[in-house]
Amino acid sequence: MTSEEAKKRINELRTVIRRHDKKYYVDDDPEISDYEYDKLMRELIDLEKSFPQLVTQDSPTQRVGGEPIQGFVTIKHTLPMLSLANTYSEHELREFDERTRKLAGRGDIEYVVELKIDGVAVNLRYEQGVLKLGTTRGDGFSGDDVTGNLRTVRSVPLRIGDGREAPELVEVRGEIYFPKKEFVELNRKREEEGEKLFANPRNAAAGSLKLLDPRLVGERPLRLYVYLLVNALELGIDTQIDALAFMKGLGLRVNPNVKLANGIDEVVEYSRKWEEARTRLDYEIDGMVIKVNSLALQKELGETAKSPRWGIAYKFTTKEATTRLTDIIVQVGRTGAITPVAVLEPVELLGTTITRATLHNEDEIKRKDIRKGDWVVIEKGGEVIPKVVRALKNRRTGKEEPFSMPQSCPSCGSEVVRSEEEVAVRCENVACPGQLQRRIEHFASRQAMDIEGLGESTVFLLISEELLKDYGDIYYLKKDKLKELEKKGEKSADNLLKAIEDSTNASLARLVFALGIRHVGWSAARDIAGEFDSIDAISKAETSDLMKVPGVGLEIAGSIVRFFGDPRTKRVIEKLRKAGVRMEEKTERRKTPLSGKTFVLTGTLKSFTREEAAEKIVSLGGRVSSSVGKKTDFVVAGESPGSKYSKAAELGIKIMSEEEFKKLSSH
């Protein structure tokens, strides 16, 4: 390759890599896998090695990571947060060992092998045992101050020491990650709400830390594992394995899957084990991290401008499979979101047979140009959800068919709608059979009307026998039909009918939540019920009236107005009213000790659930908040209180026991 040819290719690679850097680090919207990205970077590194005169300061090879996110204060790191060099083969692992032994002038070297958690790197600084600062990696030299967000993560201790005095300064690094199961649930909710899906758990973790409202971060089930003690040598600790033990002793969360390996053979063996076993974990790992155990030797080996010489990341290759997409069908979710699903010829992937995969939405299908009949590549997003990555267009025969979303709901035939702000197409018919199973399950759930015995299998049978066509029909079920349906006898039918009868006295907040109004979660339902005295008052409220409720913005208010404006909703509400379901609840207008006060609940309460406590507060004129702030009047603490307790103590907010709360609320 000539110098001119190299220059042209280098410029092309830099342009592509910069674009993907922005998509990944700034937009949190990656378009390619780590493997594909690393291939581009490897090609650029090799070309710049061959043509060093073409290296420039602004080349992607001269930087550690992405730019700090806008909107946060930027903090310079005490020591740079350098990225480890990547390798994808055992041969390259052995080459790393050979280089390390040569530089160290030793025979075998002791290594520590750790799981490479696929999340977001953070730096935590503790002074006198108290968390003072938490930052992201940023560009490796400066990161964003996300202390407020990190304080909401339960596995990030606000104070360390675990019963003993902590050193004056402890600085650690770790990985914030999103558990797989919770990631699936988050994306399911986002899909139903018409929001853009996160590409993988790491993407979800990064997106969560970017949120400017710590209350929203606190609702995400983020977790932390720490892996590096920045000031270990100053604390008299001289090995990585001892540093991990020291951090664990302070009460910091350290991953238990660690091996002290005597030589590269043990490193390779342990890495092989986890490449096969990684699917058993409830979080995603994308490889192994290998570090020289001796911290003195680490210091001696030093680092390059971009990465340490004493460590390396062994990346697992992406698990993909190729199969034919035989059809594209659509399914209807509880909130009416209509989503396309790929029907596949069965194919094995990571130990399971895949027959269906998500296609997310119509825009995604068009962007990837996926057609019925295509040969496609699939992978498990976060090793959880099978997804179609791309179509193999070179294998097309001309018989493949482009896809377009239906104009009417495939379940009920109602016209579908799509707002300008959303990517989701929706059916807004509350009696739509496609939504019915999930709507009724939600209506009967513990936090809603709490109808014990009306679970998934029973609901399915009732719908199959056409005994339920909307949740209003629950209150018209007959004993003889239930006995015949369940084949469980009279007692089972009596128990279910009693649970249904008991639910007619549920609080107004529970009923509002049970209706399944889009965007209205439990907190919003509780606040709305506290402001309005009845379903009739809520249904007649204008958008501006609803927006006076704390926490209710234009989106929630608009959704409520549309819901109650639908004639089909009115028919279902009438069924509930005629069945004797309580439609109103007069909030205490007399002056009580709770009137106008804001409460936060934390920990496990013995006498009632948090929902019951919240309902009590609202009924007595108080307000319940999900986060502690300057406007919080009381924090009610049960057993094993969380970070809200510590935050209240820091702010000097009155913390009361469950007994004190019971006494106050009985006046």
Side-chain angles (χ1 to χ4, degrees), residues 449-622:
M449 301 301 275
D450 194 19
I451 305 176
E452 189 174 351
L454 203 55
E456 182 180 352
S457 58
T458 302
V459 171
F460 178 79
L461 287 170
L462 290 166
I463 293 173
S464 300
E465 293 297 318
E466 298 186 347
L467 295 176
L468 292 182
K469 294 184 179 177
D470 56 53
Y471 41 64
D473 289 338
I474 292 171
Y475 297 92
Y476 299 89
L477 292 170
K478 303 299 181 185
K479 183 174 178 178
D480 57 338
K481 290 289 186 182
L482 288 174
K483 284 171 61 179
E484 180 184 328
L485 175 75
E486 293 192 352
K487 295 182 172 53
K488 291 182 180 178
E490 191 167 329
K491 186 177 181 182
S492 177
D494 284 342
N495 288 342
L496 178 55
L497 288 172
K498 184 179 185 305
I500 292 171
E501 177 63 27
D502 290 346
S503 76
T504 60
N505 292 313
S507 68
L508 182 61
R510 285 179 177 271
L511 178 59
V512 173
F513 178 63
L515 294 176
I517 306 168
R518 195 161 151 251
H519 300 310
V520 178
W522 166 246
S523 296
R526 183 187 61 215
D527 292 342
I528 292 163
E531 189 71 24
F532 298 89
D533 287 337
S534 67
I535 286 293
D536 287 342
I538 298 169
S539 67
K540 292 173 183 176
E542 301 288 342
T543 301
S544 56
D545 298 323
L546 291 162
M547 289 178 67
K548 292 176 183 176
V549 179
V552 175
L554 181 61
E555 187 175 44
I556 294 176
S559 182
I560 294 169
V561 170
R562 285 193 299 274
F563 178 83
F564 285 107
D566 191 318
R568 293 166 295 200
T569 297
K570 293 176 181 178
R571 288 196 290 270
V572 176
I573 295 293
E574 274 310 302
K575 281 188 184 181
L576 297 174
R577 190 191 310 276
K578 288 178 180 177
V581 174
R582 185 164 66 164
M583 292 279 163
E584 61 182 27
E585 183 175 80
K586 297 294 182 183
T587 303
E588 287 277 359
R589 298 304 181 192
R590 65 182 175 86
K591 189 73 174 176
T592 77
L594 281 67
S595 297
K597 303 297 184 183
T598 299
F599 289 76
V600 172
L601 302 167
T602 183
T604 303
L605 303 174
K606 293 179 181 178
S607 304
F608 27 56
T609 66
R610 283 208 207 172
E611 290 82 8
E612 290 167 344
E615 288 171 30
K616 182 77 171 173
I617 292 166
V618 171
S619 70
L620 292 172

Side-chain angles (χ1 to χ4, degrees), residues 251-296:
L252 289 155
R253 195 161 180 255
V254 176
N255 194 286
N257 302 300
V258 177
K259 181 175 179 61
L260 182 60
N262 186 19
I264 196 64
D265 288 340
E266 291 186 12
V267 170
V268 170
E269 182 183 355
Y270 195 64
S271 299
R272 284 176 184 168
K273 170 192 168 182
W274 278 108
E275 186 153 18
E276 295 301 319
R278 57 179 160 152
T279 55
R280 299 203 303 263
L281 296 167
D282 69 348
Y283 50 89
E284 187 177 3
I285 64 172
D286 61 347
M288 307 297 289
V289 173
I290 297 92
K291 303 171 187 171
V292 169
N293 187 36
S294 167
L295 300 184

Side-chain angles (χ1 to χ4, degrees), residues 100-271:
T100 306
R101 286 188 289 109
K102 186 176 180 180
L103 284 169
R106 302 188 185 186
D108 279 345
I109 287 180
E110 200 171 53
Y111 295 105
V112 174
V113 193
E114 305 167 41
L115 304 185
K116 188 176 182 299
I117 312 293
D118 197 13
V120 180
V122 293
N123 190 93
L124 304 174
R125 184 182 178 91
Y126 289 86
E127 297 176 11
Q128 282 80 44
V130 177
L131 177 64
K132 291 295 184 181
L133 180 67
T135 55
T136 61
R137 181 195 297 275
D139 64 0
F141 300 96
S142 298
D144 297 312
D145 182 351
V146 290
T147 312
N149 286 347
L150 289 171
R151 283 179 179 274
T152 70
V153 179
R154 294 292 293 270
S155 54
V156 175
L158 299 179
R159 179 182 289 275
I160 58 173
D162 202 24
R164 58 192 174 91
E165 187 177 349
E168 183 177 341
L169 172 64
V170 173
E171 192 165 350
V172 301
R173 285 169 185 172
E175 203 81 5
I176 293 286
Y177 68 91
F178 216 106
K180 290 179 181 178
K181 194 173 181 181
E182 286 84 350
F183 168 71
V184 173
E185 180 62 16
L186 175 67
N187 258 357
R188 184 188 67 74
K189 288 180 179 177
R190 290 178 71 86
E191 192 164 52
E192 287 189 346
E193 297 297 336
E195 298 177 10
K196 192 168 185 178
L197 302 190
F198 288 115
N200 48 50
R202 176 193 59 217
N203 188 230
S208 299
L209 285 185
K210 273 183 63 175
L211 294 170
L212 295 175
D213 186 350
R215 293 174 300 176
L216 298 177
V217 183
E219 293 173 3
R220 301 272 174 90
L222 298 172
R223 304 284 188 275
L224 169 75
Y225 275 128
V226 295
Y227 56 76
L228 182 70
L229 183 59
V230 177
N231 58 327
L233 289 173
E234 289 89 335
L235 294 171
I237 297 166
D238 54 14
T239 65
Q240 169 66 5
I241 202 73
D242 287 342
L244 293 173
F246 177 81
M247 290 187 290
K248 185 176 181 180
L250 290 175
L252 289 155
R253 195 161 180 255
V254 176
N255 194 286
N257 302 300
V258 177
K259 181 175 179 61
L260 182 60
N262 186 19
I264 196 64
D265 288 340
E266 291 186 12
V267 170
V268 170
E269 182 183 355
Y270 195 64
S271 299

Side-chain angles (χ1 to χ4, degrees), residues 426-437:
R426 295 185 181 280
C427 168
E428 297 191 338
N429 176 12
V430 294
C432 171
Q435 304 173 48
L436 193 53
Q437 173 85 27

Side-chain angles (χ1 to χ4, degrees), residues 60-79:
T61 62
Q62 304 304 299
R63 41 185 300 137
V64 176
E67 299 170 359
I69 303 160
Q70 297 300 312
F72 294 95
V73 175
T74 300
I75 304 291
K76 187 175 181 180
H77 298 310
T78 308
L79 291 172

Side-chain angles (χ1 to χ4, degrees), residues 17-18 20-22 24-25 37-38 41 44-45 48 56-68 77 79-86 116 121 136-143 173 227 303-308 315:
I17 290 169
R18 286 188 188 113
H20 287 302
D21 277 344
K22 183 177 184 299
Y24 184 98
Y25 293 104
Y37 178 92
D38 286 336
M41 186 64 82
L44 180 58
I45 290 170
E48 289 186 350
T56 60
Q57 287 188 339
D58 63 349
S59 172
T61 62
Q62 304 304 299
R63 41 185 300 137
V64 176
E67 299 170 359
H77 298 310
L79 291 172
M81 292 182 71
L82 301 177
S83 297
L84 292 171
N86 292 327
K116 188 176 182 299
T136 61
R137 181 195 297 275
D139 64 0
F141 300 96
S142 298
R173 285 169 185 172
Y227 56 76
E303 58 272 322
T304 67
K306 294 199 310 98
S307 57
K315 299 285 287 286

